[in-house]
Amino acid sequence: MSASEPRIRIDGRSCEEKAMPHVWSECVGAGRANEALRADWQRQFSEAVDILGFRYIRFHGVFHDDMFVYRESDGGGFGPNTPLESPVHTFSYVDKVFDFILDCGARPFVELGFMPRELATETETLFWWRAHCSPPKDMARWVELVTRSVQHWIDRYGLTEVRKWRFEVWNEPNLVPHFWTGTKTQYFELYEQTVTAIKRIDPELPVGGPSTSVFVPDDRYKGEVEDSSKTHETAAAADVDALEWRPVWIEDFLAWCETRGLPVDFVTTHTYPTDFAFGSDGVGVQISRYADATLDDLALLRKLIANSAYSDAEIHITEWSTSPSSRDRMHDTVFAAASITRSYLQCAALADSISYWAFTDVFEEGGAGIGPFHGGFGLVNEAGIHKPTFHALKMLERLGDRLLLTTPYGTVTRDSRTSAVSAVFFNYPDDMGTKSIGSAHSYRETRALADSGPRRRIQHSIGGLEPGTVFLVEVVDWEHGNPAEAWYGLGSPINPSREESRYLSTVADSLLQYTLTVPESGVLDLDVELEPWAVMSLWQSA
């Protein structure tokens, strides 16, 4: 802040500014590469970049058969399907996707996977679209696939550009036999071959892993493959939050790479605050951890990496949400909006990115969703209707890059370029204590949280402002910007009419809005009451 600019004072005190990283907008997730060829996906992503500021996007399946990158035959269709003398690598579909992403102003966070059918040792391991998640039957051909792909992207987009990308080796290889059919060591060997191949092209291309899923409090992942018999005590625990939760494979991965002198430019994992453990009766138990689980997990992860041989490695949480289910009705609600706002503000300094999974309900792991609000991961539904979580991310993105004040209920910031002041406040109700919002299989289940309370009064005086400055206030809560509740009020039609869809879209964007003007004193006295689960944005009018 220059000497000529007013000194911001909050609640009568001068502010000692700190950096305010926007970890929420560094990267976002999507289902698979082929979905990015759809016109609706592209419209929704373009909007997400423009409004929510996403800089990178990550998805599965860049090497899946429906992208036609790896070919051992010419695909003759009804005619002769002629085997080729050696594999051919074609990038026309991937080029369309990456061209679009770059033209939007974002970049790919490239998840290298899954295995093409003709190179896989096992096929159709999961999803409606039949991903092949196995080690390669020929490692040399996998290395050639990676090498040809990365070199093609450099030839097409330039080395300077591709050095700004991230290359993540695989996705959740600890989940055997779904996302990986091999062993832990076989994944480490895949990483070794992949990182060596990429660094041979250019040492400055960033590569990382192991992209493992969740944290666990037991030894199920200590061996070469998951041992679900180790989860009995977790499933039976009276207080799962009192257990010692640790990341999966991270320490083993870093130690293995150190022993072999392999580079790890960044560490990736997924910190869903959930677990699925099997009791002694063989029945699985779905566990929702406490509201501070993500904060505590990231603090531990950061400490582990700082004490490793890779202390300078970036930390990227390449998937995160309130749960890893694409049929969790909580994703559609104001409860999720308040929950993710709370966690993002808590964790802003603990990672280089925390990638929300995912930006759209155009997401086909289990096929298309049943109904417009089916619990999909998206910030928008399949039709592009904004969920409360979309508005929460929009409010977070309005924040500046300098932190002025942080409280358990919100943050006040300043933009170092314009000096504009902005803030986000929320009401994660006191009734919840440290309990998380959990999960729900039906929208009816989620509505019970609407009775939580009480209201929260937000009072701050912000001084050092220019008299006459107009601040805009926007609030999403149960009564404003809640399309899932409006849909429920319509009788939850699975196939809404065009008129109903227009109505739901209008409800989605009908937030509470008003203005506040700084008086001659230069002090804005903020005194508002937030309803339970509300998220509020305060920012200066242009």
Side-chain angles (χ1 to χ4, degrees):
M1 186 178 294
S2 68
S4 61
E5 293 173 336
R7 172 72 58 182
I8 301 298
R9 297 174 62 85
I10 299 180
D11 301 336
R13 299 185 300 273
S14 295
C15 299
E16 294 185 10
E17 298 184 8
K18 301 178 182 178
M20 183 63 184
H22 284 210
V23 292
W24 46 82
S25 60
E26 279 296 309
C27 187
V28 73
R32 80 184 195 277
N34 189 267
E35 292 159 1
L37 296 170
R38 290 174 47 159
D40 53 355
W41 189 103
Q42 293 189 359
R43 286 194 301 271
Q44 293 168 18
F45 182 66
S46 179
E47 178 190 56
V49 172
D50 289 345
I51 296 177
L52 307 182
F54 293 126
R55 300 181 64 240
Y56 288 84
I57 184 166
R58 171 189 177 270
F59 40 71
H60 306 317
V62 73
F63 292 151
H64 188 59
D65 299 324
D66 58 12
M67 297 303 287
F68 302 101
V69 174
Y70 182 89
R71 311 294 291 275
E72 292 187 5
S73 61
D74 67 357
F78 288 110
N81 191 7
T82 307
L84 303 171
E85 291 185 8
S86 60
V88 172
H89 305 88
T90 60
F91 299 99
S92 60
Y93 279 27
V94 176
D95 288 348
K96 293 175 184 177
V97 172
F98 282 14
D99 285 358
F100 176 78
I101 291 169
L102 291 163
D103 288 346
C104 284
R107 293 188 168 98
F109 194 120
V110 184
E111 177 198 300
L112 294 168
F114 295 118
M115 202 60 63
R117 175 185 292 273
E118 294 171 313
L119 193 51
T121 53
E122 295 187 49
T123 61
E124 300 187 5
T125 61
L126 81 168
F127 297 152
W128 167 84
W129 47 274
R130 300 293 187 257
H132 318 306
C133 297
S134 75
K137 61 185 180 184
D138 185 331
M139 184 65 80
R141 288 195 169 181
W142 166 261
V143 168
E144 182 186 26
L145 169 61
V146 171
T147 301
R148 293 286 185 88
S149 299
V150 174
Q151 188 60 60
H152 169 78
W153 294 325
I154 291 172
D155 293 342
R156 187 173 182 86
Y157 305 112
L159 180 59
T160 300
E161 169 60 34
V162 179
R163 280 177 174 172
K164 298 174 183 175
W165 300 8
R166 299 290 183 273
F167 294 95
E168 181 183 37
V169 182
W170 214 255
N171 174 77
E172 298 186 348
N174 61 298
L175 295 184
V176 175
H178 305 295
F179 282 106
W180 185 244
T181 63
T183 64
K184 175 164 59 176
T185 297
Q186 283 179 300
Y187 168 74
F188 291 171
E189 291 169 347
L190 184 83
Y191 180 85
E192 178 177 22
Q193 294 294 324
T194 305
V195 71
T196 301
I198 294 175
K199 294 295 186 178
R200 190 180 296 124
I201 297 170
D202 182 76
E204 294 186 38
L205 294 172
V207 186
S211 191
T212 43
S213 71
V214 303
F215 281 43
V216 297
D218 50 52
D219 293 338
R220 75 188 78 167
Y221 294 115
K222 289 292 186 182
E224 284 294 309
V225 296
E226 180 182 2
D227 182 356
S228 60
S229 69
K230 303 287 188 182
T231 67
H232 297 169
E233 291 184 3
T234 301
D239 183 5
V240 294
D241 295 325
L243 302 176
E244 184 181 355
W245 295 77
R246 298 186 69 82
V248 172
W249 288 12
I250 300 294
E251 294 159 280
D252 291 347
F253 171 72
L254 295 176
W256 199 89
C257 291
E258 180 186 5
T259 299
R260 286 155 181 79
L262 299 175
V264 179
D265 297 311
F266 58 88
V267 174
T268 64
T269 191
H270 305 158
T271 53
Y272 294 108
T274 62
D275 188 26
F276 192 82
F278 288 89
S280 57
D281 56 2
V283 176
V285 177
Q286 186 169 326
I287 297 170
S288 291
R289 298 169 61 198
Y290 61 118
D292 293 334
T294 298
L295 172 66
D296 291 345
D297 287 351
L298 285 181
L300 173 60
L301 177 64
R302 192 174 180 88
K303 180 179 179 181
L304 292 175
I305 294 173
N307 292 331
S308 76
Y310 301 93
S311 57
D312 292 333
E314 296 176 350
I315 300 173
H316 293 286
I317 307 306
T318 48
E319 290 185 25
W320 177 78
S321 182
T322 55
S323 84
S325 169
S326 60
R327 298 295 183 268
D328 185 342
R329 300 304 181 101
M330 282 294 178
H331 293 315
D332 301 331
T333 67
V334 294
F335 317 126
S339 176
I340 69 169
T341 300
R342 180 180 187 273
S343 291
Y344 270 132
L345 292 178
Q346 283 182 326
C347 301
L350 295 178
D352 293 279
S353 70
I354 303 175
S355 179
Y356 191 79
W357 190 256
F359 86 89
T360 177
D361 279 355
V362 177
F363 185 99
E364 297 177 343
E365 289 184 357
I370 299 176
F373 295 101
H374 57 267
F377 288 116
L379 299 167
V380 300
N381 78 350
E382 290 176 3
I385 295 174
H386 301 149
K387 299 182 187 180
T389 49
F390 178 94
H391 294 295
L393 266 291
K394 179 175 66 176
M395 294 175 183
L396 287 169
E397 190 54 21
R398 289 183 183 134
L399 291 175
D401 59 332
R402 305 300 300 170
L403 180 64
L404 301 177
L405 174 74
T406 184
T407 78
Y409 314 114
T411 291
V412 183
T413 67
R414 185 181 71 87
D415 189 311
S416 62
R417 298 162 301 172
T418 66
S419 291
V421 172
S422 56
V424 167
F425 299 101
F426 60 88
N427 183 359
Y428 193 87
D430 288 343
D431 284 359
M432 298 292 290
T434 60
K435 182 181 176 183
S436 72
I437 60 173
S439 297
H441 297 295
S442 70
Y443 185 70
R444 186 188 302 270
E445 290 178 55
T446 73
R447 301 178 80 247
L449 289 180
D451 295 329
S452 303
R455 294 179 178 179
R456 172 157 291 115
R457 190 176 184 183
I458 304 294
Q459 289 181 293
H460 293 291
S461 61
I462 305 174
L465 302 174
E466 183 71 26
T469 299
V470 176
F471 280 83
L472 307 178
V473 176
E474 192 170 61
V475 181
V476 58
D477 60 22
W478 184 256
E479 298 292 337
H480 304 91
N482 189 0
E485 177 63 13
W487 173 70
Y488 183 80
L490 293 174
S492 307
I494 291 177
N495 300 296
S497 66
R498 298 186 75 180
E499 291 76 13
E500 288 172 328
S501 293
R502 283 192 288 267
Y503 165 70
L504 293 173
S505 183
T506 298
V507 169
D509 293 330
S510 296
L511 276 58
L512 174 63
Q513 296 175 324
Y514 56 92
T515 62
L516 298 171
T517 302
V518 178
E520 286 299 317
S521 64
V523 177
L524 180 68
D525 289 315
L526 184 66
D527 188 352
V528 298
E529 278 201 344
L530 295 182
E531 296 292 333
W533 306 108
V535 184
M536 168 189 160
S537 178
L538 172 78
W539 77 105
Q540 288 184 219
S541 175

